[in-house]
Amino acid sequence: MLQITDLHATIADKPILKGLSLTVATGEIHAIMGPNGAGKSTLSYVLGGRPGYEVTGGSATFNGEDLLALDPHERAAAGLFLGFQYPVEIPGVSSLQFLREALNSQRKARGEDPLTGGEFLKLAREKAALLKLDPELLKRHVNVGFSGGEKKRAEMVQMGILDPAFAVLDETDSGLDIDALRVVGEGINAIMRRPDKGVLLITHYQRLLDYVRPDRVHILSRGRIVRSGGPELARQLEAEGYESLSGAVTA
Ligand code: ADP
Ligand code: MG
């Protein structure tokens, strides 16, 4: 479903990704772990097409299509969703307006009819309930004044509404209390654990993986995948740290 081959990318001419290869088959959830500064967020931005991140080599295909040739909005319309480590605030735009606009523009790009206001509200309420987020929050400006946990839940509500084929979730668990972590983990399963979808889950902690059980775990260090394994690799990391795992030295 997602195939990344020997990907190289720079930020401001500084090489960050240095030959990263990774394949996520349809129906799979893969976790990426790795030390700070390894390039995990860079990978998610490169996949999303964020300006300033220059691909200098390699390829990334999504369902066989050259992902890197698409504009960011075309990637979204193709079914790619990015959950940000630091969700942005958008003053002046309510979350409901923003989400309805985003959903309907994606539907339009796929040749589907837009949802009416009533249909959209019903969908938004349903997804907010799934993530145990007060639906009143969605009337406020995007993320403005939200607590860290509310931002992360709101992002998962956004994912539920957009119903993407593939999600790259960057430290969606950071800053969540124990109950919120469970709700978000169960939300990811409810929305994305499906035979026709895929997820790349960037995380530092085993706890999220207790809920969202990954099919594969990869360690990203210094811009490359240095080790891959099953769920036991994450447990081993938690017990031993990155340095003890051969080849996976601190970034
Ligand atoms: P991770 O998410 O694994 O902690 P990042 O992808 O955020 O790592 O960062 C990888 C490297 O890229 C770090 O050394 C970081 O300092 C550098 N970097 C990230 N953004 C920029 C930027 N805008 N300009 C210069 N260097 C950057
Ligand atoms: Mg990061």
Side-chain angles (χ1 to χ4, degrees):
M1 178 166 219
L2 179 72
Q3 184 158 21
I4 303 169
T5 310
D6 197 27
L7 188 64
H8 289 72
T10 60
I11 309 171
D13 292 330
K14 181 181 163 193
I16 308 289
L17 300 184
K18 303 167 189 169
L20 188 150
S21 297
L22 178 67
T23 300
V24 182
T26 307
E28 290 185 348
I29 294 181
H30 288 209
I32 294 187
M33 308 180 86
N36 293 320
K40 304 183 297 297
S41 293
T42 300
L43 173 63
S44 71
Y45 289 139
V46 167
L47 293 175
R50 182 170 171 145
Y53 291 72
E54 197 192 343
V55 174
T56 52
S59 65
T61 62
F62 183 53
N63 292 329
E65 192 174 6
D66 181 2
L67 187 67
L68 304 176
L70 302 177
D71 286 339
H73 72 274
E74 293 172 325
R75 300 183 196 197
L80 182 70
F81 176 88
L82 247 60
F84 294 111
Q85 185 171 1
Y86 306 106
V88 291
E89 299 185 1
I90 314 178
V93 183
S94 86
S95 296
L96 285 174
Q97 272 175 306
F98 169 73
L99 289 171
R100 190 175 165 200
E101 194 61 38
L103 177 63
N104 280 340
S105 66
Q106 289 189 12
R107 291 178 67 91
K108 190 174 174 191
R110 295 191 207 112
E112 298 164 6
D113 287 335
L115 291 192
T116 65
E119 288 167 335
F120 176 75
L121 265 185
K122 185 166 171 281
L123 179 68
R125 286 216 186 91
E126 184 189 306
K127 300 305 176 187
L130 179 69
L131 272 303
K132 299 192 165 51
L133 184 81
D134 179 358
E136 287 297 308
L137 272 183
L138 298 177
K139 293 181 183 164
R140 298 195 347 216
H141 294 173
V142 179
N143 286 325
V144 176
F146 286 23
S147 72
E150 286 168 347
K151 284 182 186 174
K152 298 286 177 160
R153 285 183 200 219
E155 277 220 318
M156 293 302 99
V157 171
Q158 185 181 340
M159 181 169 81
I161 289 171
L162 296 177
D163 195 25
F166 197 95
V168 182
L169 303 178
D170 192 0
E171 296 196 29
T172 297
D173 50 345
S174 69
L176 295 180
D177 64 39
I178 291 170
D179 291 346
L181 190 64
R182 193 190 68 244
V183 168
V184 164
E186 288 171 352
I188 294 170
N189 284 330
I191 299 163
M192 299 303 297
R193 176 58 90 182
R194 299 239 293 265
D196 56 343
K197 297 194 172 201
V199 177
L200 258 186
L201 193 62
I202 297 170
T203 182
H204 282 297
Y205 303 106
Q206 172 60 38
R207 203 182 279 270
L208 181 65
L209 304 182
D210 288 338
Y211 297 112
V212 187
R213 299 183 173 279
D215 298 284
R216 297 284 291 166
V217 174
H218 309 277
I219 303 175
L220 204 171
S221 177
R222 296 181 176 176
R224 327 174 47 157
I225 300 296
V226 293
R227 194 148 162 189
S228 299
E232 73 288 349
L233 182 57
R235 290 182 199 285
Q236 195 185 344
L237 268 180
E238 183 120 307
E240 300 172 23
Y242 293 118
E243 287 198 44
S244 69
L245 291 170
S246 62
V249 285
T250 315

